[in-house]
Amino acid sequence: MIRFLKGLILLPVAIVVVLLAVANRQPVTVSFDPFSQGAPAFSLTLPLYALAFAAVALGILIGGCGAWLGQEPNRRERRLRGREIDRLRAESDRLRNAASLDRPAALPAPTGRV
């Protein structure tokens, strides 16, 4: 069911992306030199769709890094809780082993009801 829903959503998105790439094949010049208008020292000529896809990819990368950095408190808390769980398990095992050595294996005799 999930696979079907993914296909239902991603297929139209893929069609739109392909149509965008076919419709925007004209080359554009991207200049990284703000001081030279005529012949910029740092410029790149590429199709418009490649520029748009690169901008989207860069946005996804920056957003992913931001989300990862924003989750640091959760990861720290999870690490601390994991250490606490390990410490408590070790203590529980130690107490269980100590109690099994002190106590006989049989159950105690039942006491009378009051």
Side-chain angles (χ1 to χ4, degrees), residues 22-95:
V22 169
N24 293 293
R25 293 177 298 189
Q26 307 87 320
V28 294
T29 301
V30 180
S31 174
F32 299 105
D33 187 3
F35 302 112
S36 176
Q37 294 280 333
F42 302 108
S43 66
L44 185 63
T45 302
L46 61 149
L48 181 60
Y49 73 88
L51 180 64
F53 292 162
V56 169
L58 184 64
I60 289 171
L61 184 67
I62 291 172
C65 289
W68 183 77
L69 290 172
Q71 293 172 356
E72 174 58 30
N74 296 335
R75 288 193 307 274
R76 184 182 310 121
E77 183 70 23
R78 198 170 91 206
R79 274 194 310 271
L80 292 174
R81 299 248 186 230
R83 288 182 195 138
E84 180 73 9
I85 287 170
D86 291 341
R87 186 185 65 78
L88 291 173
R89 279 189 184 141
E91 184 178 345
S92 174
D93 290 342
R94 183 182 57 79
L95 291 174

